[in-house]
Amino acid sequence: MDIKEIIQTHQNNIKKVIKLITKEENEDIEQEIYIKAWQKSDKY
């Protein structure tokens, strides 16, 4: 599974968790999550 598939598979859940925690949509946090996932993608 490549990083693009991981993002597409989990994008809705990530957005829901961010909104649950921050009470708002936050694209900056979402982007940081994807960057971290990409940086660690060799471990998936």
Side-chain angles (χ1 to χ4, degrees), residues 1-40:
M1 184 180 287
D2 69 347
I3 192 66
K4 191 174 185 178
E5 286 179 79
I6 292 170
I7 290 171
Q8 289 174 342
T9 302
H10 300 287
Q11 187 173 24
N12 287 335
N13 289 334
I14 289 170
K15 287 180 184 227
K16 287 177 186 178
V17 170
I18 292 170
K19 192 166 186 172
L20 182 68
I21 293 170
T22 65
K23 307 293 188 235
E24 60 186 30
E25 293 181 11
N26 193 317
E27 292 179 4
D28 291 336
I29 294 173
E30 186 177 351
Q31 185 177 22
E32 287 182 39
I33 290 168
Y34 299 142
I35 291 169
K36 295 282 186 186
W38 174 72
Q39 290 172 335
K40 309 256 185 216

